[in-house]
Amino acid sequence: MRGFAILWLKEERALFSSPIAYVVMTVFLLIMGYSFSLTLFIGHAPTLVHLFFQMFVLFLLTVPIITMRLVAEERKLRTIEILLTSPVTEVQIIFAKFAASMSLLILMLALSSAYAIVLAVYGNPDWGPIFSGYLGLVLLGGTLVAVGLFTSSLTTNQIIAALLSLSVFLVLWIIDDLGYLLPDPFDTLVVNLSLSIHFKPFATGSLYLSDAAFYLTTMLLAVFLSIRALAWR
């Protein structure tokens, strides 16, 4: 545990000493604040459902920027050899990088909870979809970070890592449109790979174990592949 804690603090310092974290947070909050203001004060809709779907899209676009350096930079600077020869395991390295990236996403979501507080001040919102929406965003964020971590472990180039993860995210976003064109049973199989299909119930206040299981399974699979890629390289 001590080795993991040291690695995690190292990753936290590296992340929050970089301007990327603050740029991502600023852009995220500005876009969400503008959208929330339009909906509440012009549309008079006391709900965050539309915001959750916009956060979904922003996560797809910003997580590659957060995760692109995680392992790729270590390989480029050749500091990965130092890590691998130190008294820590590949599992601790990967989980430390995963936890640090997730802390940024959770901070962004925590700051965006101000929108829910404003709704409570100006109206009487339905808290069910709000709680489930944030839960869905945490699961989505964990899945995206894990996949981004895996793509970063495959290359020494941060730009290539970002483009790889962005490509995967976009494919998993729109894959349900392709699935509907396929014959049974391939249509169901492909549609169920869609990130948006499993996120929609969370955003609208419905909780299904199958949707949570999809995100958790994908997350754990990507983390496992990241560990294997780190050990292999």
Side-chain angles (χ1 to χ4, degrees), residues 206-226:
S206 301
L207 293 177
Y208 297 104
L209 185 60
S210 58
D211 296 319
F214 167 79
Y215 284 122
L216 290 173
T217 302
T218 307
M219 191 188 314
L220 292 174
L221 176 61
V223 167
F224 171 76
L225 292 175
S226 300

Side-chain angles (χ1 to χ4, degrees), residues 127-138:
W127 290 100
I130 292 176
F131 290 130
S132 66
Y134 274 109
L135 174 60
L137 286 170
V138 170

Side-chain angles (χ1 to χ4, degrees), residues 12 15-16 19-33 48 51-52 54-67 100-116 134 137-138 140-141 144-145:
E12 292 284 357
L15 179 61
F16 286 98
I20 291 178
Y22 301 100
V23 170
V24 168
M25 279 195 296
T26 301
V27 171
F28 177 83
L29 293 174
L30 284 176
I31 294 176
M32 290 298 96
L48 295 182
L51 243 66
F52 291 144
Q54 291 181 10
M55 290 181 189
F56 172 93
V57 176
L58 280 179
F59 272 14
L60 297 182
L61 300 176
T62 57
V63 168
I65 300 174
I66 297 171
T67 60
S101 299
M102 279 301 298
S103 69
L104 176 58
L105 293 188
I106 291 174
L107 176 59
M108 290 162 57
L109 292 177
L111 293 173
S112 73
S113 65
Y115 308 140
Y134 274 109
L137 286 170
V138 170
L140 171 71
L144 297 180
V145 166

Side-chain angles (χ1 to χ4, degrees), residues 42-88:
I42 297 179
H44 303 289
T47 177
L48 295 182
V49 172
H50 68 291
L51 243 66
F52 291 144
F53 286 110
Q54 291 181 10
M55 290 181 189
F56 172 93
V57 176
L58 280 179
F59 272 14
L60 297 182
L61 300 176
T62 57
V63 168
I65 300 174
I66 297 171
T67 60
M68 65 182 184
R69 51 159 290 277
L70 291 178
V71 181
E73 185 180 46
E74 300 268 17
R75 294 195 187 282
K76 183 178 180 180
L77 299 177
R78 298 189 179 278
T79 54
I80 193 67
E81 286 83 1
I82 300 175
L83 276 178
L84 292 175
T85 55
S86 60
V88 292

